[in-house]
């Protein structure tokens, strides 16, 4: 996990426009590299102004950019709080990378940022993302239509420090699940 840089526009665009990520994340057909730039600058702004944000994910062995994970926040009152999120190149799905990065983001959110509750906002159809949340100890909560995505309700998953099983391998329910 490392900070994003300007050169990540192309690899993030490539990941976000794979068929699998387009379908799961509802990436619009007219999504462009300029949209990715807006995403990256909003992450940078969140780090600067709010102290939370997303990291670029590199595969240790190859050094290849494989996606993003970390913390996110929106100002709308309907947004539940600091969110933990993940998005990976489909070529590395099924290896536990989202769970590994999500675990570090959770630890950062509780220990470094000082949040007492973290959230994950997931469309109920997105079963792979729900599985990551469950492996990290998040509990499913209410379904709610959020202003940034009016066409369907998201489920709000939440995690308190008491429900956090720790790093993958350190506690039950996380490792290899
Ligand atoms: C959501 C997303 C990141 C999940 O990816 P994923 O590969 O399923 O999740 P992980 O990286 O945690 O990998 C879990 C899988 O690796 C396996 N695994 C192997 N080693 C593991 C380990 N050490 N720890 C956890 N899981 C491990 C798990 O058994 C699981 O396998 P399965 O796919 O057969 O169930 C991916 O589907 C994605 O990028 N989707 C598009 C973007 C998106 O929807 N983001 C979320 C928006 S809410």
């Amino acid at each position: 996990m490392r900070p994003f840089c300007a050169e990540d526009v192309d690899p993030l665009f490539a990941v976000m426009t794979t068929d699998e990520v387009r379908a799961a994340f509802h990436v619009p057909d007219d999504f462009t590299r300029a949209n990715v730039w807006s995403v990256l600058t909003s992450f940078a702004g969140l780090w600067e102004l709010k102290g939370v944000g997303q990291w670029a994910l590199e595969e240790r062995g190859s050094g290849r950019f494989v996606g993003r994970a970390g913390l996110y926040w929106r100002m709308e009152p309907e947004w539940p709080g600091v969110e933990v999120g993940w998005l990976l190149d489909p070529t590395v799905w099924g290896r536990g990378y989202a769970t590994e990065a999500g675990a570090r983001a959770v630890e950062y959110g509780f220990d470094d940022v000082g949040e007492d509750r973290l959230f994950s906002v997931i469309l109920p159809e997105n079963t792979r993302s729900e599985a990551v949340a469950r492996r990290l100890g998040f509990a499913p909560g209410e379904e709610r239509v959020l202003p940034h995505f009016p066409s369907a309700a998201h489920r709000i998953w939440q995690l308190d420090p008491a429900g956090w099983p720790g790093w993958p391998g350190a506690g039950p329910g996380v490792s290899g699940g």
Side-chain angles (χ1 to χ4, degrees), residues 63-75:
R64 181 165 72 104
F65 177 96
V66 291
R68 63 156 178 81
L71 303 175
Y72 185 62
W73 179 82
R74 299 176 69 92
M75 190 177 243

Side-chain angles (χ1 to χ4, degrees), residues 20-21 24-25 83 86-89 92-100 121-123 126 128-129 132 135 168 174-177:
E20 295 89 336
V21 172
F25 204 64
E83 191 209 13
W86 32 72
L87 185 147
L88 289 177
D89 187 317
V92 298
W93 289 9
R95 299 186 191 177
Y97 293 171
T99 301
E100 180 184 348
V121 168
I122 304 175
L123 287 171
N126 195 343
R128 294 194 79 98
S129 188
V132 178
R135 273 191 291 274
V174 173
S175 177

Side-chain angles (χ1 to χ4, degrees), residues 8-131:
D8 292 323
V9 165
D10 286 329
L12 183 57
F13 180 70
V15 169
M16 292 192 70
T17 52
T18 58
D19 290 345
E20 295 89 336
V21 172
R22 270 189 185 283
F25 204 64
H26 293 262
V27 179
D29 290 343
D30 58 356
F31 191 73
T32 65
R33 291 174 71 254
N35 296 130
V36 177
W37 181 253
S38 297
V39 167
L40 290 187
T41 53
S42 76
F43 291 162
L46 264 184
W47 278 118
E48 182 67 24
L49 300 180
K50 185 82 179 157
V52 301
Q54 295 267 320
W55 290 276
L57 304 183
E58 273 181 12
E59 194 173 40
R60 274 206 192 94
S62 65
R64 181 165 72 104
F65 177 96
V66 291
R68 63 156 178 81
L71 303 175
Y72 185 62
W73 179 82
R74 299 176 69 92
M75 190 177 243
E76 292 95 334
E78 297 85 350
W79 192 256
V82 173
E83 191 209 13
V84 187
W86 32 72
L87 185 147
L88 289 177
D89 187 317
T91 60
V92 298
W93 289 9
R95 299 186 191 177
Y97 293 171
T99 301
E100 180 184 348
R104 180 67 186 101
V106 166
E107 187 181 63
Y108 190 84
F110 285 146
D111 294 350
D112 295 77
V113 185
E115 293 296 314
D116 56 13
R117 180 167 288 177
L118 295 167
F119 299 88
S120 199
V121 168
I122 304 175
L123 287 171
E125 69 196 30
N126 195 343
T127 52
R128 294 194 79 98
S129 188
E130 288 190 331

